[in-house]
Amino acid sequence: MKRKLIVTLLSATMAASLLAGCGGGSGSSSEAKSEAPASSAAEASTPAEASTPAEASGAEESAASDAGTAGGGKIGISMPTQSLERWNRDGSYLDEQFKAAGYETVLTYSDNDSGRQVNDIQNMLADNVDLLVVAAIDGEALNTAMDEAAEANVPVIAYDRLIMNDAVSYYVSFDNYTVGKLQGEFVESQLDLANAGDKTYNIEFTAGDPADNNAGYFFNGAVDVLQPYIDAGTLNVVSGQTDFDTVATAQWNTDTALERAQNVLSSYYADGTQLDVWVCSNDSTALGVAQAVTSDYAGDNSVLITGQDGDEANLKNIVDGVQTMTVYKNVSNESIVTLALAQAMLKGETIDESLIPSFGIDCAFDTESYETSEGNKCPSFLLVPSVITKDNLQELVDTGLYTMGDDGYLAAAQ
């Protein structure tokens, strides 16, 4: 998928209504007892109409100013699920960053249930949050909650996954196309495909959740690198399964990826056909594929398996030679950028690339690649991912977010 090119001019002097590039505004602050992080107990329509700066009242301006100072605002943080390691990390880092800056927080996990996430966000709005940070379960299923946020003039930061609603003010993520591109380039380099000559390698693909806007970027980033070699016959997809819908994995579920991988192996590789590469878009799917390869693959060669996220189980597999690489996204840095952006929004500061030096993090301000509806551009802060293999695991330790045991295995730092 070629990335959609969008031309935009961002005039981003933020007023107290917090009108941003994708829409939305600020709500007035209501002081309340801080809520501790908790799991949630217990979505496509016309995009919300954004408020304009002229509609903001003097009282709203004062509230936005108060919310922009440490200790003066409440932030709602909505995460998809606790069943995947990375979202536990994201939620924890965001909660810690905002609390350390003096904000009250409301943190929920919605158990991969979009209806529950709508309800969680509605509860946050009823609790008078000043700003929402939302990692969507389904980017097209939050319209009810997003429309209500716009009506309440509460700005929204789409975190890691884009939300397809114009109430979203900004998008903070990694360069998702580059994540897939790094996976494809790793395969290209490891197999020296450019110099393969008449040699042929067999490859399979496992993509992510169709409801996750990022999944297509990951998949197509890898495919765009590898497609010329498929066309030339250097890479052969034995199963013939190359389109996204066929190789997608609902909710990035490990067991779903495992079951499909077992079916592919039993159907196309049981006769001893050699499998050389399995491109997996993330670590939870790679975990399932690696398990299938370990238990069901008839060949005796090492299969190159890609991933993304740096989950502990996958890092162990990398040490053991079961998985070959992962694309690492430092979600602690993602939370730092999100905090700085939120503070600037709540203070009514100009939002553009001039903010980046204050992050202290390698990041790009992108106004061309993403839109929340046809023609509505969403300014985005995109962090830079990196490739991790067995040879450079120390880089993860150097972040301070992992420790390495005497056995060489990594664990999240306590």
Side-chain angles (χ1 to χ4, degrees):
M1 175 182 66
K2 185 174 181 181
R3 300 172 75 181
K4 182 178 290 185
L5 204 58
I6 306 165
V7 179
T8 186
L9 178 62
L10 175 65
S11 177
T13 302
M14 300 292 291
S17 67
L18 296 180
L19 176 71
C22 303
S26 90
S28 56
S29 174
S30 176
E31 294 298 330
K33 182 177 180 181
S34 177
E35 294 190 25
S39 298
S40 174
E43 298 167 331
S45 61
T46 304
E49 184 175 337
S51 300
T52 65
E55 294 170 340
S57 68
E60 288 171 333
E61 291 176 1
S62 176
S65 177
D66 290 343
T69 61
K74 183 184 291 185
I75 309 298
I77 303 169
S78 175
M79 295 286 105
T81 179
Q82 289 184 298
S83 66
L84 293 181
E85 178 186 325
R86 72 144 300 177
W87 294 117
N88 284 298
R89 282 188 276 142
D90 284 87
S92 175
Y93 290 144
L94 284 165
D95 193 55
E96 291 170 2
Q97 291 286 346
F98 277 101
K99 281 184 173 177
Y103 293 92
E104 297 180 49
T105 62
V106 183
L107 171 63
T108 61
Y109 295 87
S110 303
D111 196 28
N112 272 329
D113 183 331
S114 293
R116 178 179 294 185
Q117 188 165 40
V118 169
N119 185 66
D120 288 342
I121 294 169
Q122 289 174 323
N123 288 339
M124 291 176 185
L125 293 171
D127 201 19
N128 295 312
V129 296
D130 297 290
L131 182 141
L132 288 166
V133 178
V134 180
I137 295 166
D138 184 339
E140 296 184 348
L142 294 178
N143 282 293
T144 297
M146 293 297 97
D147 291 350
E148 291 178 12
E151 290 171 5
N153 289 321
V154 175
V156 179
I157 296 175
Y159 180 88
D160 201 78
R161 296 172 172 178
L162 188 62
I163 302 168
M164 309 310 290
N165 186 289
D166 294 348
V168 173
S169 303
Y170 294 95
Y171 179 39
V172 177
S173 188
F174 283 79
D175 189 331
N176 299 310
Y177 183 84
T178 294
V179 169
K181 187 168 177 281
L182 288 172
Q183 293 174 339
E185 289 173 344
F186 183 85
V187 172
E188 180 182 41
S189 173
Q190 289 295 299
L191 300 183
D192 195 17
L193 296 179
N195 300 303
D198 295 332
K199 188 170 178 57
T200 298
Y201 297 94
N202 293 331
I203 186 171
E204 298 293 338
F205 293 90
T206 292
D209 186 356
D212 182 347
N213 182 72
N214 292 344
Y217 284 95
F218 300 145
F219 178 71
N220 288 292
V223 169
D224 284 353
V225 173
L226 300 175
Q227 189 65 50
Y229 299 106
I230 295 174
D231 294 341
T234 304
L235 291 175
N236 177 38
V237 185
V238 179
S239 70
Q241 298 175 10
T242 57
D243 65 288
F244 176 82
D245 290 338
T246 301
V247 304
T249 309
Q251 297 185 349
W252 302 93
N253 185 270
T254 296
D255 290 338
T256 302
L258 167 63
E259 182 178 359
R260 176 175 168 269
Q262 289 175 322
N263 289 336
V264 169
L265 291 173
S266 64
S267 299
Y268 302 99
Y269 294 89
D271 61 356
T273 298
Q274 179 168 308
L275 171 65
D276 299 291
V277 183
W278 205 308
V279 174
C280 302
S281 289
N282 86 326
D283 279 352
S284 61
T285 57
L287 204 61
V289 168
Q291 184 177 335
V293 169
T294 300
S295 62
D296 296 88
Y297 175 48
D300 57 6
N301 63 298
S302 295
V303 179
L304 190 161
I305 299 175
T306 70
Q308 170 199 177
D309 286 334
D311 289 351
E312 286 186 43
N314 298 79
L315 295 175
K316 181 179 185 300
N317 277 350
I318 288 175
V319 173
D320 292 340
V322 178
Q323 183 171 324
T324 318
M325 63 86 80
T326 189
V327 177
Y328 179 61
K329 303 186 303 185
N330 189 330
V331 296
S332 176
N333 285 347
E334 194 171 6
S335 69
I336 291 170
V337 171
T338 301
L339 169 64
L341 173 60
Q343 289 176 314
M345 293 168 66
L346 293 171
K347 291 176 182 177
E349 296 178 352
T350 298
I351 311 294
D352 57 23
E353 66 277 359
S354 65
L355 276 179
I356 293 177
S358 69
F359 300 159
I361 293 165
D362 194 6
C363 182
F365 182 64
D366 185 331
T367 59
E368 298 182 352
S369 298
Y370 298 93
E371 57 182 16
T372 53
S373 67
E374 186 65 32
N376 197 74
K377 305 83 180 176
C378 191
S380 307
F381 289 92
L382 304 178
L383 288 76
V384 180
S386 59
V387 171
I388 295 295
T389 68
K390 188 174 183 178
D391 296 329
N392 67 340
L393 288 169
Q394 183 61 40
E395 290 185 15
L396 297 184
V397 178
D398 292 343
T399 66
L401 303 175
Y402 294 85
T403 60
M404 183 181 292
D406 293 337
D407 54 8
Y409 295 140
L410 274 65
Q414 299 301 316

